Each structure stands twice: as structure tokens, then as C-alpha cells.
Amino acid sequence: LAPDPAVMAEVPYFALHPLGLERRRAEVLRRVAEIIAARPRATPEAQLAAVAGVRGIGPWTMAEARRVALGDPDAVSVGDYHVPSLVAFALVGERRADDARMLELLAPYAGQRGRVQRLLEVGAPLPPRRGPRRAPRDIGGM
């Protein structure tokens, strides 16, 4: 189970380093927890709307929260680096795409675009890789 938001709001940012969260992301998580803890009886939709204005919460985070927490079948991960190209490659064979092109290709699936995106992520062939992988950054000291 997820920790209680009031408890999460009090966790110091450095305690989240072993989880791979640097200070900036840890502070965003703590701020979101504060907002949620202040609205314990609000609906999930109202809580999500309340955190939408937090600096560090962008369209990708909102789409992921809508898809995972609220089960929104139409939430598309706009702002993701890899997803537009994956969708374009799977649907029309284009190696590179941006968010606008991805949304254009997903338009026929309106109402279910998030589900289509997720199905393509787990089952479609990936576009050819174009460069070396970056090494992950270890901030946890483990």
C-alpha cells in the first residue's frame, strides 16, 4: 500500500534517494502529498486537479496519473521521449514522431487512445535504435 500522504509529506527529501529520486523530484512528491493530505475527503478527480498546478507536474505526469489512478482509457502520455516514435513506428512505420503526430495517429481511437498506446508499448515492435544507451545515474549510494 502507498504511504499515508500526511506521512509522505514529512519524509525528508534525502530519505527518497535510495528509491532513485533526486531532491527536485522528491520535493515535488512531498508537495503533492501535502496537497492530498489537506483534502482527505476530496474525490480522486478533485485531488488530481489540485495537484495539476504544482511546479514539476506536467502533461506526462497528469496523463500517467489519470491512466493509472483513475483508469482513464483515453489518457495519452504526451511529453514522453520515446512513446510518440513507438506509436508512429507501430502504426505507420515512421521511425521518428512528435506528440502532435502521435495524437494524429491515435485520433481514430478516441476514447481508448491510452489503452491503444499501452498495448503498443507492451506488444509492438520497437523502432530501430539510433545510438548508445546512457548509463543510469546512481544517487542512492547503494
Side-chain angles (χ1 to χ4, degrees):
L1 294 174
D4 182 80
V7 172
M8 195 70 223
E10 298 298 322
V11 172
Y13 75 87
F14 54 84
L16 298 172
H17 284 293
L19 300 175
L21 294 175
E22 75 281 1
R23 183 175 187 164
R24 183 178 57 84
R25 290 183 184 162
E27 293 293 351
V28 169
L29 181 62
R30 293 178 64 227
R31 179 66 185 129
V32 167
E34 287 174 9
I35 292 170
I36 299 300
R39 296 165 174 80
R41 295 183 185 259
T43 65
E45 291 86 358
Q47 289 179 336
L48 194 57
V51 302
V54 172
R55 184 176 171 87
I57 302 290
W60 181 86
T61 305
M62 292 301 293
E64 291 299 302
R66 292 199 65 75
R67 186 172 58 85
V68 175
L70 302 179
D72 183 351
D74 201 45
V76 179
S77 298
V78 176
D80 191 287
Y81 182 76
H82 301 284
V83 172
S85 295
L86 183 142
V87 169
F89 187 74
L91 295 179
V92 293
E94 296 173 6
R95 287 182 57 162
R96 302 285 299 152
D98 59 9
D99 287 334
R101 179 65 174 145
M102 175 180 66
L103 292 173
E104 177 186 333
L105 293 171
L106 291 173
Y109 306 100
Q112 301 294 323
R113 297 176 306 166
R115 285 187 176 153
V116 171
Q117 172 201 320
R118 186 69 185 129
L119 288 170
L120 294 174
E121 285 175 338
V122 298
L126 298 173
R129 297 189 185 261
R130 296 173 27 136
R133 290 186 173 200
R134 292 178 50 180
R137 204 172 109 202
D138 180 18
I139 64 165
M142 295 183 156

